[in-house]
Amino acid sequence: MSDREEHDEHVFRLTRRKALKGLALGIGTMVLPAKDASASVWDSFFQKNFRELSRPERQKILARLEKEYSATYKKSVRVKDTPSPEGVLFGYGLDLSRCVGCRRCVYGCVTENNQSRDPQVHWIKVLRLSKERGVDLEHSEQYYNPATVPQEGYFYMPVQCQQCENPPCTKVCPVQATWKETDGIVVVDYNWCIGCRYCMAACPYGARHFNWKAPGLPAGEMNPETHYLGNRPRPVGVVEKCTFCMQRTREPDGKYPACVEVCPVGARKFGNLLDPTSEIRNVIENKRVFILKEDLNTQPKFYYFYSV
Ligand code: SF4
Ligand code: SF4
């Protein structure tokens, strides 16, 4: 992103935030973008919430974004809006007895989902825990760095968005920029997010990440297959999170999330909770599963288990 574009994005977030504050205080005047702001800043400023857009309005926005991204990243970029599939509720399983703490899932996710390389943004964190203490998150270590893994005496617990059935993050958003879709995936409309970060404070799993700076995404590394609510490039000043790779998993050929594919030991399981023949249902029905912070009633659809 050029300095000019980054400046425009700042202008957009700030003006929308001021406008919102003005409305909250009952001040009638709306603060508009600067007169010389680019056409896309004006388009973005007046864009409605994604859920309120008509089909033609959506198509116009997707076409505008595809054009912008294709010019920026110098390749043909696709921005889809594939809806939730009928009769699907996605769920995830993680086999703690298999995970070796290699962090390939972390970097597979970065590549697939166009996360910022500089500064680094990771939607998945892998925690190192001592076998002696068990699942004691307060004594976990995220930044372990031994020569080889796994290390004697430790086990590893990857944590990412738990796609809660009762998500506290969506309830606190003052502008309804984040919500749960019918397939259970919790999404963010990056064009509607005002960057207040209330959702980050509300999430008990540290699963949301804020772009303090314009994401550093080298053109050569940009994944051009994107979803509007998922892995399309994010602007500075908005919150982002895991979406179970909706640009892959919502497609008719039903691809796995990138983290499932890249895991070298098969620790990650994924599928449709409503399908009794799915791998995830098999895990839930035949393994002793547990969810994180069950007492908070967030009802994660992310199940941890031990296969051996
Ligand atoms: S893990 Fe956090 S970000 Fe994900 S749905 Fe639950 S509360 Fe929201
Ligand atoms: S890729 Fe698999 S084994 Fe490696 S840290 Fe992630 S879940 Fe664990």
Side-chain angles (χ1 to χ4, degrees), residues 6 16 24 74 85 121 124 129 136-137 183 201 210 217 222 225 235 308:
E6 190 169 341
R16 185 173 261 176
K74 302 191 178 17
V121 172
I124 302 175
L129 296 142
D136 177 356
L137 297 184
D183 57 7
F210 185 65
L217 176 58
M222 192 260 171
E225 192 67 19
V308 289

Side-chain angles (χ1 to χ4, degrees), residues 64-194:
R64 188 190 83 223
L65 292 173
E66 285 179 346
K67 197 170 154 204
E68 276 178 28
Y69 299 152
S70 298
T72 303
Y73 297 101
K74 302 191 178 17
K75 60 178 85 171
S76 177
V77 177
R78 186 163 169 228
V79 184
K80 302 179 280 195
D81 65 341
T82 317
S84 299
E86 294 273 325
V88 171
L89 187 65
F90 288 121
Y92 207 109
L94 211 141
D95 186 347
L96 293 175
S97 58
R98 283 186 187 236
C99 178
V100 292
C102 65
R103 294 197 185 100
R104 286 195 201 167
C105 50
V106 175
Y107 293 101
C109 175
V110 166
T111 306
E112 171 64 31
N113 289 297
N114 289 322
Q115 281 148 48
S116 175
R117 277 46 164 193
D118 181 21
Q120 287 192 39
V121 172
H122 294 167
W123 291 353
I124 302 175
K125 60 184 171 219
V126 181
L127 305 177
R128 185 184 70 180
L129 296 142
S130 93
K131 284 187 177 166
E132 204 181 313
R133 284 183 181 274
V135 182
D136 177 356
L137 297 184
E138 279 185 23
H139 290 91
S140 64
E141 169 61 50
Q142 184 183 346
Y143 301 106
Y144 60 91
N145 193 24
T148 58
V149 285
Q151 285 172 282
E152 190 65 34
Y154 293 103
F155 70 103
Y156 302 89
M157 175 176 245
V159 180
Q160 58 209 73
C161 176
Q162 313 279 299
Q163 314 296 354
C164 306
E165 197 49 24
N166 183 27
C169 55
T170 59
K171 292 177 190 150
V172 296
C173 178
V175 293
Q176 286 83 51
T178 179
W179 63 89
K180 185 180 61 161
E181 301 253 289
T182 58
D183 57 7
I185 300 177
V186 174
V187 296
V188 180
D189 180 349
Y190 311 121
N191 279 56
W192 200 251
C193 172
I194 58 168

Side-chain angles (χ1 to χ4, degrees), residues 285-303:
E285 284 163 20
N286 296 300
K287 306 290 177 199
R288 209 155 52 88
V289 299
F290 71 94
I291 51 176
L292 275 186
K293 305 191 181 185
E294 186 176 6
D295 49 321
L296 299 179
N297 194 31
T298 51
Q299 300 168 28
K301 293 191 291 295
F302 202 102
Y303 304 90

